[in-house]
Amino acid sequence: MNLYLGIDFGTTGARSTVIDSQGTIHSETAYTFANNGQQQPELPSVWQNALWDSIEQIPPTIRNQVRAIAIDGTSSTVMLCDTEGVPVCEPILYNDARGAAVTERLRAIAPDNHTVLSATSSLAKLLWWQEGGLEAHPTKQLSLCGTGILPVVEKLYFLHQADWLAFLLHGKLGISDYHNALKLGFEVDTLCYPNWLIEGIAGAATPQLPQVVAPGTPVGEVRAQVGDRFGFPRDCMICVGTTDSIAAFLASGVNSPGEAVTSLGSTLAVKLLSHTRVDDSRYGIYSHKLGDLWLVGGASNTGGAVLRHFFTDVELDNYSTQIDPEQESLLDYYPLLKKGDRFPINDPNLPPRLEPRPTDSVEFLHGLLESIARIEARGYRLLQELGATPLTKVYTAGGGAKNSVWSAIRKRYLKVPVETPIHTAAAYGTALLAMRSVTD
């Protein structure tokens, strides 16, 4: 039997799913990051351990039938590596807005209203590294992380999280997909880096940009030492992946324009399948190419991480059952754990709004759920106002999909059916990507 492995790297952990050619699941595993995957110098080791552990949990009898593997990662989580693929400094996470310090240079380089014009874009992070890389340092130490100082090595590679993790499996450095590379400035229309980008980053501290191919493209067979360690077949193919939110979209099986997927994980991401491409950096809106259609959307820093900051999972379940989803909460929050959001308000300095806080925990949770629902609905309205295909149905992925009360609240705001697809896990979508890469 031929099996296909998808591995999802989200905000707080990694998950794997193995499927067959009919889409039947044969194995699922989960791994939680140390410190919930927050910014830390040891992040590459955390990710590598998660990758090996996620694979190790898969039964050997299943691993030895895996024909193809793909990995998804968080969009705009980026890193710098040397020619051996060794990280030379601390990665910068998807929601890190330190790129606000290079806004002036970013605007001077990029066209007006471009997707990269965000403090959290991959290009903003690259420029932030460059701005601090003018001062020479003789060693490459992770202790330099967070200083904005580029260590001196012969050559640096700029990679996304999914690129580096796939490299650990196939050994070919510097290959990415055009979903991950969108916020770096890669143009999916022409399938190349535009001149404004190449000229804008040119200089002494310019890392090698990744070669970009279509998501799911086979790169090479699994490295011999990895195959031997885990019992993968010698001809097991490693493919380029995608982002975690697109993987969740793929898992849903949505293929009709007007249908959308909201990923309610630690953060909130919306993806609407549209005939029309929409890009508007004022609101953090961008479009990914998906066959002959466009996946239009954005990602907000609000979401489940805010809820878990105030409530345990048991409390969330208990208090939710005490909420009347048809009764509107008058509490008007903008739930964030720290200042700054990306969509539908693209402002790195946007302050959290979590007051007034009632003494009744059920009332407080009701206000949070309702406020996140308002943000989601506002996002979909924006997409349609800017020309995307009208919304007809929303499928929900991520942990939030399990909360029926929250789904009812969201349906009231979205005014379209809200459903949970059969498959919601991003790892399942990435496994589909791996399967199609060697069977299409």
Side-chain angles (χ1 to χ4, degrees):
M1 180 185 296
N2 290 324
L3 300 177
Y4 310 93
L5 169 59
I7 305 176
D8 161 51
F9 275 74
T11 304
T12 60
R15 293 170 177 81
S16 82
T17 300
V18 178
I19 62 172
D20 61 24
S21 58
Q22 304 303 311
T24 302
I25 295 173
H26 288 255
S27 171
E28 291 181 297
T29 73
Y31 180 97
T32 302
F33 296 146
N35 298 324
N36 280 328
Q38 297 303 305
Q39 196 74 51
Q40 53 181 305
E42 298 80 13
L43 268 180
S45 295
V46 171
W47 296 340
Q48 181 169 302
N49 291 339
L51 176 61
W52 301 148
D53 186 273
S54 296
I55 295 172
E56 191 74 56
Q57 289 185 57
I58 301 168
T61 54
I62 291 178
R63 294 201 299 261
N64 63 27
Q65 298 179 77
V66 171
R67 186 180 173 195
I69 303 172
I71 300 176
D72 72 72
T74 48
S75 176
S76 289
T77 294
V78 296
M79 57 202 303
L80 291 172
C81 300
D82 65 15
T83 55
E84 300 299 317
V86 177
V88 299
C89 63
E90 180 179 72
I92 303 180
L93 294 178
Y94 65 96
N95 59 352
D96 191 307
R98 70 184 74 183
V102 296
T103 298
E104 186 175 334
R105 183 180 169 196
L106 187 60
R107 293 193 177 281
I109 292 173
D112 290 343
N113 212 29
H114 197 280
T115 303
V116 300
L117 293 173
S118 166
T120 59
S121 74
S122 300
L123 181 55
K125 291 160 184 168
L126 171 55
L127 295 180
W128 183 85
W129 266 318
Q130 282 191 315
E131 290 289 299
L134 301 179
E135 185 178 345
H137 283 256
T139 58
K140 51 177 185 179
Q141 298 290 334
L142 284 176
S143 60
L144 292 176
C145 297
T147 65
I149 297 171
L150 291 180
V152 175
V153 295
E154 289 183 6
K155 187 177 184 179
L156 293 174
Y157 282 86
F158 182 88
L159 300 175
H160 305 91
Q161 180 188 35
D163 308 341
W164 183 72
L165 289 164
F167 156 76
L168 296 179
L169 299 181
H170 58 59
K172 298 181 180 181
L173 195 61
I175 301 175
S176 189
D177 65 273
Y178 57 59
H179 289 160
N180 270 295
L182 182 76
K183 295 179 187 177
L184 180 56
F186 185 82
E187 283 294 342
V188 292
D189 285 336
T190 58
L191 295 179
C192 66
Y193 290 107
N195 289 334
W196 62 260
L197 172 60
I198 301 300
E199 295 168 0
I201 65 172
T206 302
Q208 176 74 40
L209 300 183
Q211 173 190 351
V212 180
V213 296
T217 300
V219 175
E221 294 177 350
V222 65
R223 298 167 91 165
Q225 60 267 43
V226 175
D228 291 343
R229 174 179 175 182
F230 296 108
F232 291 126
R234 287 286 180 167
D235 61 352
C236 176
M237 186 62 62
I238 310 303
C239 313
V240 293
T242 182
T243 66
D244 58 342
S245 60
I246 292 183
F249 187 94
L250 296 175
S252 72
V254 168
N255 55 21
S256 299
E259 294 184 339
V261 173
T262 295
S263 295
L264 286 174
S266 297
T267 57
L268 180 149
V270 304
K271 294 281 186 293
L272 169 65
L273 197 59
S274 173
H275 289 292
T276 308
R277 178 179 183 175
V278 179
D279 295 291
D280 198 319
S281 67
R282 293 174 301 171
Y283 306 110
I285 294 171
Y286 51 90
S287 295
H288 284 285
K289 187 175 179 61
L290 200 67
D292 296 328
L293 300 170
W294 296 96
L295 205 48
V296 183
S300 170
N301 291 337
T302 194
V306 180
L307 300 179
R308 284 192 170 89
H309 179 75
F310 294 104
F311 304 103
T312 65
D313 287 348
V314 172
E315 288 172 333
L316 285 171
D317 290 341
N318 181 32
Y319 295 153
S320 292
T321 61
Q322 301 177 54
I323 294 172
D324 179 0
E326 299 306 318
Q327 178 67 46
E328 181 179 359
S329 170
L330 299 180
L331 295 169
D332 183 18
Y333 299 142
Y334 203 104
L336 299 169
L337 291 181
K338 60 181 180 180
K339 71 175 184 179
D341 202 10
R342 301 168 286 160
F343 166 86
I345 300 175
N346 187 11
D347 180 0
N349 296 309
L350 182 72
R353 190 167 69 247
L354 293 164
E355 299 290 343
R357 179 172 178 175
T359 55
D360 184 346
S361 295
V362 174
E363 186 181 349
F364 181 48
L365 176 60
H366 189 182
L368 291 174
L369 296 179
E370 191 113 5
S371 297
I372 296 173
R374 290 190 195 107
I375 293 171
E376 178 190 7
R378 177 176 179 174
Y380 280 120
R381 283 197 305 272
L382 265 175
L383 301 185
Q384 294 163 94
E385 289 168 5
L386 294 170
T389 298
L391 183 69
T392 59
K393 183 183 291 186
V394 174
Y395 291 90
T396 311
K402 302 172 185 176
N403 191 317
S404 59
V405 172
W406 199 4
S407 294
I409 291 172
R410 293 169 50 235
K411 183 178 180 179
R412 176 158 46 83
Y413 279 96
L414 293 169
K415 303 186 187 310
V416 297
V418 175
E419 300 181 9
T420 301
I422 295 174
H423 299 290
T424 63
Y428 186 90
T430 308
L432 288 174
L433 194 64
M435 179 186 73
R436 292 164 184 167
S437 72
V438 295
T439 58
D440 286 351

